[in-house]
């Protein structure tokens, strides 16, 4: 087994991996950006290293910085988690060439399966049904138009390195092709450092089924059953469950065998997920995620298999610790992504301070997180702050337990999607298991969501309680890029909530919270003139500015695009007028409330 593992990620997945390492007696190393100096995964790790500024491209996606941190820490393995560089075959190859072991599939297998067009060719050769689409990257809008003429609309334009809806755009008609192609390529470059895209016929009302697989270096391939990820919004999974309520035993077996067969053709090792779309009793290969998945806890709960530990063992050269016949599916499990989003405002990202953070507990309840009460949640990265996983003897009990757990889960300080989840566990379509991937976007009444948020949303008056005097504070010191914590006495200072009786140390999750960083900026942007001021509704980065001084705009016109928590958000004018000032530029970071555009 490894001596020390660097986790090239952040947030709850980094903590999840570190916990598995700790149970195996392996020391852990965190990396962090300037925005994450006080993040939970940094607090949990045995040691931590700064890899750059907040922008992911300059920190978590900086291959040289991550490898340099591994060298400084003398780590002997790197686990990528999911997202960032988890499916980057180039980075995997660089790790393989270094003194570290890559805890993931071989880079060559990642190239064949991680890039979607190559994966489609592999699956076709293995006899796995594939959705009609291109097998080579698409560059020109004319290619998209020709595909539409042959296969009809809508068309899905997908980033080669994408996943979870990132880098995917839907084209409903020819006049949308140019804009959607550019947007898909832009997102692919921003999130996956790969602007290559391909096309697929877009199935409008399928079920989304995925099969968890694990393969070792000794020729063994196991599948651990399926997960149903059909409840999605804008192609982003929001609730996952296993087993699927929509599959017959025969279809379940066929899909599982197809996943094993396809992966077995590629010399694949370690964990991965083979995703399928199911419609009218037929299934089609969608993609392979060559990494651990966000929803892997669903499978862990119904099989009793720790998938992350299997990843570590397989990467160390061991055989899989169980046979296919020993994989037994027991009960039912669901995972609820607890995102910092306001469901009543079209799931707009939310930021703020966790004035209250009191997760659910009790039998059959698991929470994967990397936050504690008092933490600041910014808009630099993904909006997910925790995952609630519930398991029970059957689906009916699982829904009832989930309803109880969601009612217990108390988060104050900003909006989360908990009210939405509470609505869904009593929603007829969802509880009957008849929903498809388009249910949320096309069928669910938005007013039901608004009423749920109004009823169960955060207490807008909550201020986290009265300030208290403290005598000790923790500070963070950085020396040559390595993070250290220093404890000093300070009298007469207001307390910062630490929440949950954590008590610090590894016994309380290992995430004792240092004091929050404060800004040196004590002033805001001053805007001249008396025109309408279009301000940022969330923290983020300006992707594009679509107007210039002197332009005429009407109510509802898009004036710029703001990226927040890996989502593109159109900023629109509330009223018409003439642009008198543009106060931001492409690539600039803004805070909630910052003025962006002035209209006269």
């Amino acid at each position: 087994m490894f001596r020390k593992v660097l986790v090239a990620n952040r947030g709850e997945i980094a903590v999840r991996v570190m916990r598995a390492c700790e149970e195996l007696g392996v020391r852990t190393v965190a990396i962090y950006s300037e925005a994450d100096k006080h993040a939970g995964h940094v607090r949990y790790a045995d040691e931590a290293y700064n890899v750059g500024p907040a922008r992911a491209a300059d920190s978590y996606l900086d291959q040289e910085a991550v490898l340099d941190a591994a060298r400084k820490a003398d780590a002997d393995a790197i686990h990528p988690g999911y997202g960032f560089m988890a499916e980057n075959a180039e980075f995997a190859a660089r790790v393989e060439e270094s003194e570290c072991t890559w805890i993931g599939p071989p880079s060559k297998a990642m190239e064949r399966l991680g890039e979607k067009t190559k994966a489609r060719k592999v699956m076709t050769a293995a006899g796995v049904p594939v959705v009609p689409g291109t097998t080579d990257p698409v560059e020109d809008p004319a290619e998209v138009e020709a595909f539409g003429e042959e296969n009809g609309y809508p068309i899905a334009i997908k980033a080669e390195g994408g996943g979870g809806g990132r880098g995917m755009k839907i084209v409903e008609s020819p006049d949308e092709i140019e804009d959607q192609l550019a947007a898909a390529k832009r997102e692919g470059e921003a999130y996956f450092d790969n602007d290559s895209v391909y096309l697929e016929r877009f199935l409008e009302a399928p079920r989304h089924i995925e099969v968890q697989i694990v393969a070792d270096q000794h020729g063994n391939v196991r599948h651990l059953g399926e997960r149903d990820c059909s409840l999605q919004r804008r192609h982003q999974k929001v609730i996952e469950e296993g087993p699927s309520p929509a599959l017959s035993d025969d279809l379940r077996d066929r899909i599982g065998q197809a996943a094993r067969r396809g992966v077995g053709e590629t010399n694949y090792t370690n964990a991965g997920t083979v995703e399928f779309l199911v419609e009218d009793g037929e299934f089609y290969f969608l993609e392979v995620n060559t990494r651990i998945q966000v929803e892997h806890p669903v499978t862990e709960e119904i099989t009793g298999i720790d998938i992350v530990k299997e990843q570590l063992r397989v990467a160390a050269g061991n055989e899989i610790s169980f046979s296919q016949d020993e994989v037994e599916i027991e009960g039912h499990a669901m995972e609820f992504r607890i995102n910092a989003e306001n469901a009543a405002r079209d799931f707009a990202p939310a930021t703020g301070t966790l004035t209250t953070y009191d997760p659910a507990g009790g039998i059959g309840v698991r929470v994967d997180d990397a936050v504690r009460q008092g933490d600041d949640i910014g808009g630099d990265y993904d909006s997910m702050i925790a995952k609630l996983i519930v398991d029970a003897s059957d689906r009916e009990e699982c829904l009832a337990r989930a309803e109880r757990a969601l009612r217990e889960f108390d988060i104050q300080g900003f909006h989360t999607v908990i009210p939405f989840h509470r609505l869904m566990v009593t929603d007829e379509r969802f509880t009957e298991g008849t929903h498809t991937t388009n249910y949320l976007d096309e069928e669910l009444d938005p007013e039901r969501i608004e009423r749920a948020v109004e009823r169960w949303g955060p207490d807008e008056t909550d201020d986290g309680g009265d300030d208290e005097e403290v005598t000790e504070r923790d500070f963070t010191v950085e020396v040559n890029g390595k993070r250290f914590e220093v404890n000093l006495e300070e009298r007469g200072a207001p307390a910062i909530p630490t929440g949950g009786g954590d008590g610090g140390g590894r016994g309380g999750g290992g995430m004792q919270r240092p004091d929050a960083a404060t800004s040196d900026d004590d002033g805001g942007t001053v805007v001249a003139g008396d025109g309408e001021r279009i301000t940022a509704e969330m923290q983020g980065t300006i992707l594009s500015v679509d107007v210039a001084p002197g332009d005429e705009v009407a109510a509802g016109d898009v004036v710029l695009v703001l990226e927040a928590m890996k989502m593109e958000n159109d900023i629109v004018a509330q009223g018409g007028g003439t642009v008198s000032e543009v106060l931001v530029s492409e690539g600039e970071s803004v805070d909630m409330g910052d003025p962006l555009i002035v209209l006269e």
Side-chain angles (χ1 to χ4, degrees), residues 56 82-84 166 187 191 236 379-383 563-569:
Y82 53 70
F84 293 131
R166 308 293 189 201
E187 286 189 10
Y191 301 140
Q236 292 286 307
D380 295 295
Y381 309 110
D382 192 274
S383 61
E563 176 199 38
M565 295 183 174
K566 294 188 179 180
M567 296 178 64
E568 292 190 10
N569 302 273

Side-chain angles (χ1 to χ4, degrees), residues 164-467:
R166 308 293 189 201
M168 181 169 79
K169 298 297 177 182
I170 306 303
V171 178
E172 300 284 353
S173 61
D175 60 356
E176 297 179 358
I177 290 174
E178 190 169 345
D179 287 344
Q180 298 291 55
L181 178 62
K185 291 175 71 68
R186 182 171 64 243
E187 286 189 10
E189 176 67 30
Y191 301 140
F192 309 106
D193 198 25
N194 181 357
D195 70 352
S196 181
V197 299
Y198 68 103
L199 309 178
E200 276 186 355
R201 189 183 77 196
F202 183 64
L203 301 180
E204 297 194 67
R207 300 287 294 215
H208 187 129
I209 307 296
E210 60 186 31
V211 178
Q212 177 70 57
I213 63 96
V214 181
D216 63 27
Q217 300 169 28
H218 306 276
N220 300 305
V221 181
R222 310 281 188 256
H223 79 79
L224 310 184
E226 88 283 352
R227 299 183 289 258
D228 192 315
C229 307
S230 300
L231 198 73
Q232 302 179 5
R233 179 188 166 273
R234 294 182 182 175
H235 316 292
Q236 292 286 307
K237 303 166 187 174
V238 291
I239 300 175
E240 302 97 347
E241 62 181 306
S244 170
L247 298 188
S248 65
D249 289 341
D250 175 66
L251 187 55
R252 175 174 289 112
D253 182 66
R254 287 164 54 202
I255 291 176
Q257 293 305 321
R260 289 185 71 191
R261 186 168 66 249
V263 168
E265 293 290 323
T266 62
N267 295 319
Y268 189 98
T269 61
N270 218 270
T273 304
V274 187
E275 302 199 351
F276 299 90
L277 296 179
V278 177
E279 194 172 65
D280 299 327
E282 298 296 329
F283 69 93
Y284 304 92
F285 168 75
L286 178 62
E287 62 188 21
V288 177
N289 288 297
T290 55
R291 53 172 168 77
I292 197 76
Q293 288 275 89
V294 176
E295 57 272 21
H296 75 275
V298 169
T299 299
E300 292 183 328
E301 296 307 311
I302 59 177
T303 63
I305 295 170
D306 187 322
I307 299 172
V308 177
K309 284 185 180 178
E310 288 299 323
Q311 284 191 289
L312 293 161
R313 294 184 182 113
V314 166
N318 299 331
E319 289 193 50
I320 297 172
S321 62
F322 53 89
S323 68
Q324 188 63 57
D325 290 341
E326 291 174 315
V327 178
E328 296 184 2
I329 308 299
E330 295 185 1
H332 200 92
M334 292 183 178
E335 177 179 286
F336 300 84
R337 301 188 185 200
I338 309 301
N339 296 342
E341 297 171 1
N342 186 347
R345 293 182 56 193
D346 199 27
F347 291 81
T351 58
T353 300
L354 279 168
T355 55
T356 298
Y357 183 73
D358 188 8
I363 187 170
V365 175
R366 164 180 168 180
V367 176
D368 283 13
D369 62 16
V371 296
R372 290 293 180 266
Q373 187 164 297
D375 280 359
D376 293 322
I377 306 300
D380 295 295
Y381 309 110
D382 192 274
S383 61
M384 188 172 66
I385 59 175
K387 300 186 304 195
L388 171 67
I389 306 99
V390 178
D391 72 277
S393 60
D394 55 31
R395 192 170 190 266
E396 182 179 5
E397 184 183 34
C398 191
L399 284 165
R401 183 164 289 165
E403 185 177 5
R404 183 268 296 172
L406 288 162
R407 187 168 58 248
E408 288 182 7
F409 209 137
D410 187 14
I411 295 179
Q412 301 292 335
F414 49 83
H415 282 277
T416 72
V417 294
I418 287 177
F420 166 79
H421 288 320
R422 292 183 66 176
L423 170 65
M424 293 316 301
V425 294
T426 59
D427 176 78
E428 184 176 0
R429 283 288 301 278
F430 182 70
T431 57
E432 291 179 350
T434 59
H435 58 287
T436 62
T437 56
N438 65 358
Y439 176 57
L440 296 184
D441 291 331
E442 300 178 14
E443 299 181 45
L444 184 66
D445 184 356
E447 290 187 2
R448 293 182 61 202
I449 300 176
E450 292 172 5
R451 290 194 296 269
V453 172
E454 183 177 354
R455 180 180 180 186
W456 296 314
D459 180 2
E460 302 291 353
T461 65
D462 179 49
D463 62 1
D466 297 331
D467 289 346

Side-chain angles (χ1 to χ4, degrees), residues 3 21 63 67 87 97 106 128 179 191 206 237 331 347 363 389 391 427 491 496 502 510 524 563 581 584:
R3 174 178 47 80
C21 289
Q63 297 185 21
L67 290 170
E87 293 183 278
E97 293 168 0
V128 178
D179 287 344
Y191 301 140
K237 303 166 187 174
F347 291 81
I363 187 170
I389 306 99
D391 72 277
D427 176 78
R491 300 187 181 277
I496 295 177
D502 192 343
E563 176 199 38
E581 292 183 80
V584 292

Side-chain angles (χ1 to χ4, degrees), residues 422-560:
R422 292 183 66 176
L423 170 65
M424 293 316 301
V425 294
T426 59
D427 176 78
E428 184 176 0
R429 283 288 301 278
F430 182 70
T431 57
E432 291 179 350
T434 59
H435 58 287
T436 62
T437 56
N438 65 358
Y439 176 57
L440 296 184
D441 291 331
E442 300 178 14
E443 299 181 45
L444 184 66
D445 184 356
E447 290 187 2
R448 293 182 61 202
I449 300 176
E450 292 172 5
R451 290 194 296 269
V453 172
E454 183 177 354
R455 180 180 180 186
W456 296 314
D459 180 2
E460 302 291 353
T461 65
D462 179 49
D463 62 1
D466 297 331
D467 289 346
E468 298 178 2
E469 296 296 314
V470 296
T471 58
E472 287 191 356
R473 298 183 70 183
D474 295 320
F475 292 89
T476 301
V477 178
E478 197 175 283
V479 180
N480 294 327
K482 184 174 181 178
R483 182 182 184 278
F484 298 89
E485 291 184 14
V486 179
N487 183 271
L488 298 175
E489 288 191 357
E490 183 177 16
R491 300 187 181 277
I496 295 177
T498 56
D502 192 343
R506 298 302 281 267
M511 293 187 287
Q512 183 177 358
R513 182 181 184 272
D515 291 318
T518 57
S519 173
D520 294 329
D521 183 8
D522 56 4
T525 304
V526 178
V527 182
D530 298 321
E532 176 194 347
R533 301 176 185 183
I534 302 174
T535 59
E537 297 181 351
M538 62 202 76
Q539 183 183 31
T541 302
I542 304 298
L543 280 184
S544 67
V545 178
D546 300 328
V547 295
D551 288 353
E552 296 289 334
V553 298
D557 284 354
V558 177
V559 295
L560 56 81

